[in-house]
């Protein structure tokens, strides 16, 4: 292993150790192997040092979650001498009969007449159909007319093919051309795309498709098959190089576990990188696909679309019920008969209008929502007159509890940069919308904080509209474009989620939904910055709120620092915070908790931008933190909420700062 630089951050080491502990807690056989590593290294140094601890933990990780070569359509069960795992060698040898057919059905998607030579992984899900991710497909295909088509570059379509080999030390290929774009599920639906593939190429014939399991299951006996690519965004660069042997772009097998299930996706901890998008998550016991890998955070967790969601989408496509091309720009309302909806309630109800019912996909699952949504085509560019906002009551501090428990609006200690504006003859600092309020930072021209009241008993869905200006403040204080656009530019990240103010009577809910699309409620966030738990915090709070009330208050905003980096003329925040308050059903008392998210690792590197100059001790993970730490970092004050925060109470005992990394809602400490 390459020697670890002395400057390795403590949080990287802690994250590695925590990841290993989590595996050991759920897999006793691997835990025993980890003890062997600890015993081997005990006594080799006079005192613990960061490099020595990192060495031990990295060896444990490479045993727990190895990445193996594939050769001649079989996993090569060869490990480095210090990381050989008898446990995984036995499990994979026993699974060979089920695993090898699946390996043959996974390929690398290569492109011709395109800037990129290859873009991800795909696999045979039916006799002549390859499945991959939407975000992979969008590199070479798009919606066109009534269906989908290959993207044109220079007057010629991009040609896509799948090589079902592309193995290390194997010059052979098994290349089959993708002949038709069958379907690309529009966002915010599951990250799925289907392509027709030619059945024969010369003397080669397609492998048998990978059967989809009837339902996803949690298991310690799983593996991801795909094509990991070098990823410069990984903060733990040395560890990445050691795990992957500094060898990328070819077929690899990474065993691991399916750790958590949700309605439309599963979590797994197999080792992956960017090129694994579209990989198959395989059950080693049956050889069936449990999911379609689409995203992840290195050494934290990964996400896959569940097999039953993929199966339902495939059924819709193969029976001719593809969704029509999604309408991205605001349109005149269609006749009601020509529209259909996908609806799910958990406890929020989200309805997505998809077009002609004869062509609509009606997968009854919870839509997967990325941290930010790519909505750069959804621009209104209009500005409603200031008088249109006179009926907006904004955020109510007394919204929670029968006694009107107080959740005050945030107060800025130093109001020098607070945007002030005149409305109805009065100087104001708060923009009131339907069920939520926003304050702006004047020199930064973006949201300082957004606070929303959510009633989980009365959610209503509404058609998405375009981003628009607020007529109460000058356009020069609002960022509509500039840093926003297709990658490598940023997405407009909602502070108050679009659906959260959409409750109450239908007309009132529609206004709340549409108000959330003001650019005053957005900040720049990287489109690759995905952390599903961040967008689900409100849902987890609603699930814990008193059943007959289900009311919560949510505060969200960026951490605005003087040394934040500048992109496209805009100073971009590196981190974001959130505070949630509600009456907990178990205690009957007001609960308030704080959270932080960092996008440092996802920010692009530019010549004029010295990346190391602003790196913080935080990484791009969601974590529960104390409200006092948010107050300290932002200069905001949240009244008495910090006094009832469980992490704040722990810190008051002299424990120092407390940070709880979050992968699922079950890890949240409510009291």
């Amino acid at each position: 292993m390459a020697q670890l630089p002395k400057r390795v951050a403590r949080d990287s080491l802690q994250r590695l150790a925590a990841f290993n502990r989590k595996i050991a807690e759920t897999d006793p056989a691997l835990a025993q192997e980890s003890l062997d590593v600890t015993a081997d290294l005990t006594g080799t140094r006079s005192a613990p040092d960061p490099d020595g601890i990192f060495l031990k933990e990295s060896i444990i990780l490479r045993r727990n979650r190895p990445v193996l070569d594939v050769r001649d359509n079989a996993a090569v069960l060869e490990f480095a001498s210090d990381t050989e795992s008898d446990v995984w060698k036995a499990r994979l040898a026993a699974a060979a009969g089920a695993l090898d057919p699946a390996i043959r059905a996974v390929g690398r998607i290569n492109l011709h007449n395109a800037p990129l030579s290859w873009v991800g992984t795909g696999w045979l899900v039916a006799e002549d159909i390859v499945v991959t991710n939407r975000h992979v497909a969008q590199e070479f295909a798009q919606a066109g007319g009534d269906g989908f088509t290959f993207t044109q570059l220079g007057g010629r379509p991009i040609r896509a093919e799948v090589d079902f080999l592309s193995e290390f030390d194997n010059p052979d290929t098994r290349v089959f051309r993708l002949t038709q774009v069958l379907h690309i599920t529009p966002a915010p639906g599951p990250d799925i795309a289907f392509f027709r593939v030619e059945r024969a190429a010369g003397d080669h014939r397609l492998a048998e498709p990978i059967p989809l399991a009837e339902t996803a299951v949690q298991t310690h006996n799983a593996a991801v098959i795909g094509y990991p690519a070098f990823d410069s965004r990984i903060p733990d660069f040395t560890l990445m190089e050691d795990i992957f042997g500094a060898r990328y772009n070819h077929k690899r097998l990474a065993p691991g576990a399916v750790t958590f299930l949700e309605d439309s996706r599963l979590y797994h901890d197999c080792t992956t990188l960017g090129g694994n998008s579209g990989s198959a998550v395989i059950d080693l016991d049956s050889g069936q696909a449990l999911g379609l890998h689409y995203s992840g955070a290195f050494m934290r967790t990964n996400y896959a679309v569940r097999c039953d969601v993929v199966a339902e989408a495939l059924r819709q496509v193969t029976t001719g019920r593809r969704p029509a091309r999604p309408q991205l720009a605001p349109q005149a309302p269609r006749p009601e008969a020509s529209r259909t909806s996908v609806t799910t309630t958990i406890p929020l109800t989200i309805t997505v209008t998809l077009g002609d019912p004869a062509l609509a996909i009606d997968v009854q699952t919870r839509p997967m929502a990325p941290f930010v949504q790519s909505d750069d085509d959804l621009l209104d560019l209009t500005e409603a007159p200031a008088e249109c906002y006179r009926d907006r009551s904004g955020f109510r501090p007394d919204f929670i509890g029968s006694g009107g428990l107080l959740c005050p609006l945030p107060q800025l200690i130093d109001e020098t940069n607070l945007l002030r504006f005149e409305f109805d003859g009065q100087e104001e600092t708060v923009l009131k919308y339907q069920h939520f309020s926003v304050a702006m930072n004047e020199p930064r021209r973006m949201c300082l904080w957004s606070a929303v009241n959510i009633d989980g008993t009365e959610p209503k869905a509404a058609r998405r509209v375009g981003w628009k200006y607020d007529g109460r403040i000058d356009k020069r204080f609002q960022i509509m474009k500039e840093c926003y656009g297709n990658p490598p530019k940023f997405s407009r990240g909602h502070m108050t989620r679009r659906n959260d103010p959409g409750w109450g009577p239908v007309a009132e809910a529609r206004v709340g939904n549409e108000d959330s699309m003001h650019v005053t409620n957005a900040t720049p966030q990287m489109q690759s910055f995905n952390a599903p738990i961040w967008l689900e915090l409100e849902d987890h709070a609603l699930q814990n709120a008193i059943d007959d009330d289900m009311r919560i208050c949510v505060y969200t905003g960026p951490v605005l620092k003087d040394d934040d980096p500048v992109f496209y003329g805009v100073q971009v925040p590196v981190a974001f915070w959130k505070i949630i308050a509600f009456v907990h059903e178990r205690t009957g008392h007001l609960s308030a908790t704080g959270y932080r998210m960092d996008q440092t690792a996802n920010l692009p590197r530019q010549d004029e931008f010295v990346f190391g100059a602003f790196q913080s001790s935080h990484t791009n993970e969601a974590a529960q933190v104390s409200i006092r730490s948010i107050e300290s970092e932002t200069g905001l004050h949240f009244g008495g909420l910090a006094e009832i925060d469980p992490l704040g109470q722990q810190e008051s005992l002299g424990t120092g700062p407390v940070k709880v990394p979050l992968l699922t809602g079950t890890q949240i400490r409510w009291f």
Side-chain angles (χ1 to χ4, degrees):
M1 171 179 171
Q3 180 157 352
L4 186 69
K6 295 296 184 181
R7 66 178 183 275
V8 170
R10 189 192 325 176
D11 67 331
S12 179
L13 186 57
Q14 290 176 339
R15 186 169 61 253
L16 173 58
F19 188 72
N20 283 331
R21 284 197 302 272
K22 190 175 184 65
I23 295 172
E25 289 169 359
T26 57
D27 194 324
L30 290 177
Q32 183 59 49
E33 281 196 333
S34 298
L35 291 177
D36 295 341
V37 174
T38 303
D40 291 343
L41 293 179
T42 298
T44 59
R45 302 179 188 271
S46 59
D49 69 279
D51 284 359
I53 298 172
F54 193 94
L55 172 64
K56 181 195 75 171
E57 295 293 346
S58 65
I59 291 173
I60 293 173
L61 176 64
R62 286 180 287 153
R63 282 193 179 191
N64 286 343
R65 294 297 179 258
V67 178
L68 303 176
D69 287 355
V70 171
R71 193 172 303 122
D72 298 326
N73 291 308
V76 180
L77 302 183
E78 296 176 358
F79 302 78
S81 59
D82 60 347
T83 62
E84 182 160 341
S85 171
D86 292 334
V87 173
W88 279 121
K89 185 175 287 188
R91 290 177 181 177
L92 292 170
L99 186 59
D100 291 354
I103 292 175
R104 287 192 286 271
V106 178
R108 194 180 78 176
I109 299 177
N110 299 332
L111 302 182
H112 300 274
N113 185 38
L116 301 173
S117 60
W118 73 281
V119 288
T121 302
W123 41 282
L124 287 165
V125 70
E127 185 174 304
D128 60 349
I129 297 177
V130 165
V131 64
T132 187
N133 294 139
R134 170 182 58 245
H135 72 268
V136 172
Q138 288 173 337
E139 294 295 330
F140 60 95
Q142 61 187 18
D146 292 331
F148 303 89
T149 184
F150 290 101
T151 301
Q152 298 264 339
L153 281 182
R156 295 184 298 145
I158 295 176
R159 181 163 61 89
E161 60 190 26
V162 182
D163 184 350
F164 289 98
L165 282 177
S166 193
E167 301 172 347
F168 287 113
D169 304 321
N170 185 353
D172 294 339
T173 61
R174 288 182 61 87
V175 176
F176 293 77
R177 187 167 180 172
L178 298 180
T179 60
Q180 181 185 2
V181 189
L182 293 175
H183 171 61
I184 303 174
T185 302
D191 200 344
I192 301 174
F194 297 105
F195 291 84
R196 185 84 65 191
V197 62
E198 61 184 350
R199 294 173 181 262
D203 296 332
H204 298 310
R205 297 292 181 271
L206 287 174
E208 292 295 317
I210 301 176
L212 292 164
E214 289 188 8
T215 187
V217 295
Q218 289 185 236
T219 175
H220 300 304
N221 221 21
V224 162
I225 307 169
Y227 294 80
F230 175 84
D231 194 339
S232 62
R233 298 170 303 171
I234 299 298
D236 306 284
F237 177 82
T238 301
L239 184 58
M240 178 186 73
E241 290 277 274
D242 285 327
I243 291 174
F244 289 89
R247 298 158 72 236
Y248 307 96
N249 306 338
H250 294 283
K251 188 179 286 188
R252 309 294 282 270
L253 182 142
V258 174
T259 58
F260 192 73
L261 301 177
E262 292 187 335
D263 288 346
S264 61
R265 67 169 172 255
L266 60 82
Y267 293 51
H268 71 88
D269 61 8
C270 306
T271 306
T272 66
L273 291 174
N276 281 108
S277 292
S279 294
V281 183
I282 302 296
D283 179 1
L284 296 180
D285 295 321
S286 66
Q288 296 177 331
L290 296 173
L292 171 69
H293 172 84
Y294 69 84
S295 180
F298 183 68
M299 217 169 53
R300 293 179 185 83
T301 194
N302 297 299
Y303 312 98
V305 183
R306 282 176 52 137
C307 51
D308 42 357
V309 176
V310 176
E312 178 61 15
L314 177 64
R315 185 186 69 80
Q316 300 289 342
V317 169
T318 55
T319 55
R321 298 182 63 203
R322 279 190 293 118
R325 177 178 178 174
Q327 298 295 327
L328 296 179
Q331 302 273 326
R334 294 184 176 185
E336 197 61 31
S338 67
R339 304 172 70 188
T340 189
S341 297
V342 179
T343 301
T344 179
T345 302
I346 55 156
L348 298 178
T349 299
I350 303 172
T351 298
V352 182
T353 300
L354 297 173
D356 191 300
L359 299 174
I361 185 168
D362 57 0
V363 181
Q364 295 297 311
T365 58
R366 177 180 182 172
M368 177 198 70
F371 180 51
V372 295
Q373 297 173 346
S374 181
D375 48 21
D376 298 298
D377 292 327
L378 285 167
L379 299 181
D380 190 324
L381 301 180
T382 59
E383 180 181 74
E387 56 268 21
C388 291
Y389 300 91
R390 287 200 178 104
D391 64 345
R392 307 296 204 274
S393 57
F395 177 91
R396 284 178 44 202
D398 62 349
F399 181 71
I400 291 179
S402 58
L405 297 171
L406 193 63
C407 293
L409 284 175
Q411 297 296 313
L412 193 59
I413 304 303
D414 180 357
E415 296 187 345
T416 303
N417 293 330
L418 186 63
L419 177 66
R420 301 176 185 277
F421 60 97
E422 187 174 313
F423 184 57
D424 280 349
Q426 300 290 326
E427 184 182 78
E428 303 283 356
T429 59
V430 175
L431 294 163
K432 294 181 180 180
Y433 298 105
Q434 190 79 333
H435 302 317
F436 74 103
S437 297
V438 169
M440 298 284 289
N441 181 291
E442 180 175 330
R444 296 288 289 267
R445 301 180 296 149
M446 67 179 64
C447 176
L448 175 66
W449 54 259
S450 186
V452 61
N453 303 132
I454 306 175
D455 189 334
T457 64
E458 297 187 82
K460 301 288 190 308
R463 183 175 64 90
R464 188 181 184 119
V465 299
W467 288 99
K468 54 192 173 186
Y469 292 107
D470 188 315
R472 290 171 289 186
I473 60 176
D474 197 291
K475 286 183 179 179
R476 63 192 173 97
F477 298 125
Q478 304 177 67
I479 304 173
M480 178 63 78
K481 294 184 178 179
E482 300 180 45
C483 62
Y484 296 125
N486 294 323
K489 287 192 170 184
F490 294 81
S491 279
R492 299 170 186 82
H494 281 85
M495 293 294 92
T496 284
R497 301 188 308 177
R498 185 171 69 89
N499 288 303
D500 285 347
W503 53 268
V506 173
E508 186 177 305
R510 184 181 67 250
V511 173
N513 189 294
E514 294 177 356
D515 276 359
S516 73
M517 296 297 292
H518 283 82
V519 292
T520 52
N521 185 44
T523 59
Q525 293 168 349
M526 285 304 297
Q527 298 186 25
S528 59
F529 180 28
N530 290 334
I533 181 62
W534 185 257
L535 272 183
E536 296 169 0
L537 291 171
E538 290 88 339
D539 296 341
H540 289 294
L542 285 166
Q543 292 167 5
N544 284 275
I546 293 179
D547 288 341
D548 57 0
D549 194 356
M550 289 188 68
R551 290 187 166 200
I552 67 175
C553 293
V554 181
Y555 309 83
T556 310
V559 177
L560 300 178
K561 298 288 190 180
D562 291 340
D563 60 351
D564 281 339
V566 175
F567 295 96
Y568 310 102
V570 174
Q571 203 171 5
V572 174
V574 169
F576 304 88
W577 56 268
K578 191 188 296 280
I579 293 173
I580 300 178
F582 66 99
V583 177
H584 200 286
E585 64 176 349
R586 286 181 57 184
T587 65
H589 299 299
L590 185 64
S591 167
T593 48
Y595 309 88
R596 192 185 191 278
M597 188 79 187
D598 193 291
Q599 66 174 352
T600 299
N602 297 83
L603 290 173
R605 304 188 186 196
Q606 298 179 338
D607 291 341
E608 67 273 17
F609 169 47
V610 182
F611 186 79
F614 78 97
Q615 281 189 335
S616 69
S617 61
H618 299 275
T619 54
N620 60 325
E621 64 182 9
Q624 184 175 353
V625 298
S626 70
I627 295 175
R628 288 200 187 284
S629 70
I630 295 173
E631 290 181 329
S632 175
E633 194 168 28
T634 63
L636 294 168
H637 180 57
F638 298 91
L641 295 185
E643 304 298 329
I644 57 173
D645 171 24
L647 264 60
Q649 293 170 359
Q650 181 177 342
E651 290 177 353
S652 68
L653 299 176
T655 61
V658 179
K659 175 182 173 183
V660 181
L662 299 178
L663 297 180
T664 70
T666 58
Q667 296 171 300
I668 298 173
R669 292 172 51 181
W670 298 114
F671 45 81

